[in-house]
């Protein structure tokens, strides 16, 4: 690429980044609400005082990040919308970073422990009854589940639900992202356990003890139990 090409690319990157940042700002400020339709490319170009090509480029970045979606159709249902539930962009990005060895699975696993402890640390002492019932039924299922693969799924679901005790939804979201990355490793770990019956009973007991501590509002005990539970090399 010649010098002019490089300069043009640089300008293009700056303007598309500008579109991305301006749109992000508008979402944070509430000017553009989740679920709402974005103005047309022409209108956005006028609003941001940049070319329509740059607008398109910025929208492509948002689209790749799973933050917006183009919908076909007619009338008000057609156009580009800001997604209320963003896609899997963050987990995809982290997965790519793990694949490229920018982050190791051990780092993800360590982050998961910190996040799960943080989630319990900010849990209410009077937990939501519905959540407690759902956790209870997961514990019961795990007590009877003999398949390693199904146990791993139930186990991940238990931890994810447990994280919902935190009133910070971002903590729970990030735990979900970490689980997505380490689930395969956890399944392999379960497959390598020699005496599966003993181990699965131990895990089921540990989940039950964590839940019991949460039920009586003993968060300190719940944190110490979850740390010990996640310290298991097969978990
Ligand atoms: Zn577990």
């Amino acid at each position: 690429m010649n010098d002019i090409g490089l300069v043009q690319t640089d300008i293009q990157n700056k303007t598309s980044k500008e579109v991305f940042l301006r749109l992000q700002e508008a979402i944070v400020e509430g000017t553009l609400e989740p679920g709402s339709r974005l103005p047309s490319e022409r209108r956005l170009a006028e609003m941001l005082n940049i070319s329509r090509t740059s607008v398109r480029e910025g929208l492509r970045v948002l689209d790749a990040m799973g933050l917006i979606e183009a919908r076909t159709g007619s009338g008000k249902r057609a156009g580009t919308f800001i997604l209320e539930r963003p896609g899997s962009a963050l987990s995809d990005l982290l997965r790519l970073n793990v694949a490229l060895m920018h982050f190791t699975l051990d780092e993800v696993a360590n982050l998961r422990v910190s996040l799960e402890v943080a989630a319990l640390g900010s849990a209410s002492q009077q937990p939501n009854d519905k959540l407690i019932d759902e956790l209870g039924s997961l514990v019961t299922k795990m007590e009877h589940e003999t398949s390693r693969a199904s146990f791993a799924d139930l186990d991940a679901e238990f931890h994810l639900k447990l994280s919902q005790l935190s009133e910070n939804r971002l903590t729970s979201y990030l735990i979900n992202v970490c689980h997505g990355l380490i689930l395969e490793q956890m399944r392999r770990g379960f497959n390598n356990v020699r005496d599966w019956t003993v181990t699965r009973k131990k895990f089921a007991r540990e989940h039950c003890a964590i839940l019991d501590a949460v039920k009586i509002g003993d968060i300190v005990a719940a944190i110490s139990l979850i740390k010990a539970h996640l310290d298991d090399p097969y978990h």
Side-chain angles (χ1 to χ4, degrees), residues 131-144:
L131 208 49
I132 292 294
D133 286 349
E134 288 168 356
L135 283 163
S137 84
L138 282 170
V139 165
T140 309
K141 278 185 195 164
M142 273 188 273
E143 279 163 357
H144 298 100

Side-chain angles (χ1 to χ4, degrees), residues 165-176:
L165 289 166
S166 159
E167 269 144 31
N168 187 337
R169 289 173 305 153
L170 182 58
T171 310
S172 182
Y173 177 77
L174 291 174
I175 288 173
N176 193 22

Side-chain angles (χ1 to χ4, degrees), residues 152-197:
D153 290 341
L154 289 169
D155 201 326
E157 207 182 326
F158 175 85
H159 285 269
L160 187 61
K161 214 161 263 301
L162 194 68
S163 75
Q164 289 167 7
L165 289 166
S166 159
E167 269 144 31
N168 187 337
R169 289 173 305 153
L170 182 58
T171 310
S172 182
Y173 177 77
L174 291 174
I175 288 173
N176 193 22
V177 170
C178 290
H179 274 222
L181 289 165
I182 58 175
L183 190 60
E184 225 15 75
Q185 191 190 34
M186 197 163 115
R187 284 200 182 116
R188 271 200 300 276
F190 284 5
N191 282 336
N192 290 335
V193 171
R194 282 206 188 153
D195 196 338
W196 173 240
T197 307

Side-chain angles (χ1 to χ4, degrees), residues 1-16 54:
M1 191 183 285
N2 60 28
D3 285 353
I4 295 172
L6 278 172
V7 170
Q8 280 173 338
T9 309
D10 194 35
I11 291 171
Q12 186 76 0
N13 285 343
K14 272 186 190 157
T15 45
S16 55
S54 301

